[in-house]
Amino acid sequence: MADLLLDDVGELLRDTAAEIVLPLFRKLDAADVTEKAPGELVTIADQRAEEAITAGLRRLRPGSVVVGEEAVADDPTLLRHVRSTGDVWVVDPVDGTSNFAAGKRPFALMVALLTDGDPVASWILDPLADNLAVARVGEGTRLDGQPVTPRTTGRTPGGLRGSATTWFLPPATRARVSAGGERLGGLLPGQHCAGREYLDLLTGERDFVLFWRTLPWDHVPGTLLVRQAGGVARRFDGTDYHPADEHQGLLVAISEDVWTEAHAALLAD
């Protein structure tokens, strides 16, 4: 895969943000926001951005398949392509839709490329912060053009910084995670935007993040970015995350040691 593809997809996301997403930020009418499922919002920005990104990706890789969040909402059978051979793009046109619809930050645009079912490249753009992270398997992660070096926190276990998206957790797990967060010095509030959570792992703002729901467009891009920067992305039982795995629950950390410490505090019985 040529570096040109990394640059071209990054440029596609920047153009989509500048031409479609940002002009609609804080400019939505009531009719521009609907529910695609109970509690799940979609805006015209999501729909228009996905159309533009889908068309751009197909131009870059003729014959490839695009699995977009909004397209799957209309036709859930499209998810089967995550397990397909060949090139498959996974797209979240506006991650953090609830924030976007409320006129709040953060929100992000996210893309990942799967080849024969395995993630090989990914991109996350936070257009308001002007952060663009890109990664390719075997070649590391870049944030705003600079390599992201593997790191450890240098903090004590009680000083680890991380967040947990607890509102979808089963009640017993939620109680355990909340109690464990106190042993880590308290959990940071979730941002309602997985893309920003992953970017904050790369910038050092967070050492770990815990999620329950793991839809591929929310997590394939970010887990690849973190792994290529030396981090770890695993299910609660310790098995490595893979987009074809339909289990729930995901703990992502910037290093093996941090994952082990966070898992022991938040999820150990």
Side-chain angles (χ1 to χ4, degrees), residues 6-252:
L6 292 181
D7 295 339
D8 285 346
V9 176
E11 191 65 24
L12 173 63
L13 294 185
R14 288 194 182 279
D15 289 346
T16 302
E19 296 169 10
I20 297 173
V21 178
L22 292 179
L24 289 167
F25 184 49
R26 297 176 178 162
K27 302 280 177 48
L28 296 172
D29 296 324
D32 297 331
V33 184
T34 57
E35 275 195 336
K36 58 186 176 184
E40 295 285 339
L41 300 181
V42 61
T43 75
I44 58 169
D46 297 83
Q47 295 164 336
R48 293 176 182 176
E50 184 165 305
E51 291 171 1
I53 293 169
T54 296
L57 295 175
R58 286 174 173 159
R59 284 194 299 270
L60 292 172
R61 278 288 171 94
S64 60
V65 175
V66 180
V67 177
E69 178 179 5
E70 308 314 328
V72 171
D74 292 335
D75 181 6
T77 66
L78 291 173
L79 263 179
R80 73 185 187 278
H81 291 296
V82 173
R83 299 176 179 82
S84 296
T85 58
D87 290 333
V88 178
W89 303 95
V90 177
V91 176
D92 192 336
V94 181
D95 179 56
T97 296
S98 62
N99 291 340
F100 186 86
K104 300 187 301 184
R105 60 196 304 168
F107 52 88
L109 290 73
M110 305 200 292
V111 170
L113 176 61
L114 308 176
T115 298
D116 297 333
D118 291 322
V120 296
S122 67
W123 300 256
I124 295 181
L125 171 68
D126 179 338
L128 292 179
D130 196 28
N131 290 143
L132 175 64
V134 303
R136 179 168 56 188
V137 166
E139 298 194 10
T141 297
R142 298 202 310 266
L143 177 64
D144 302 330
Q146 300 301 312
V148 179
T149 56
R151 66 181 179 90
T152 57
T153 65
R155 302 185 182 109
T156 63
L160 292 179
R161 290 171 56 85
S163 59
T165 303
T166 60
W167 49 89
F168 295 118
L169 289 171
T173 306
R174 184 186 307 121
R176 188 161 66 245
V177 168
S178 297
E182 296 303 316
R183 293 193 290 274
L184 293 174
L187 294 172
L188 299 172
Q191 301 182 80
H192 300 271
C193 177
R196 187 64 246 180
E197 302 277 9
Y198 282 112
L199 289 173
D200 283 351
L201 288 169
L202 302 179
T203 64
E205 290 297 312
R206 278 163 168 69
D207 304 317
F208 67 88
V209 183
L210 182 146
F211 304 95
W212 179 248
R213 297 202 309 174
T214 54
L215 295 165
W217 42 81
D218 287 330
H219 298 289
V220 179
T223 53
L224 182 62
L225 289 167
V226 171
R227 283 169 166 167
Q228 291 302 301
V232 178
R234 295 188 182 131
R235 298 294 187 180
F236 292 174
D237 65 1
T239 56
D240 285 335
Y241 167 80
H242 190 274
D245 175 7
E246 295 182 356
H247 290 91
Q248 304 282 30
L250 178 64
L251 178 62
V252 186

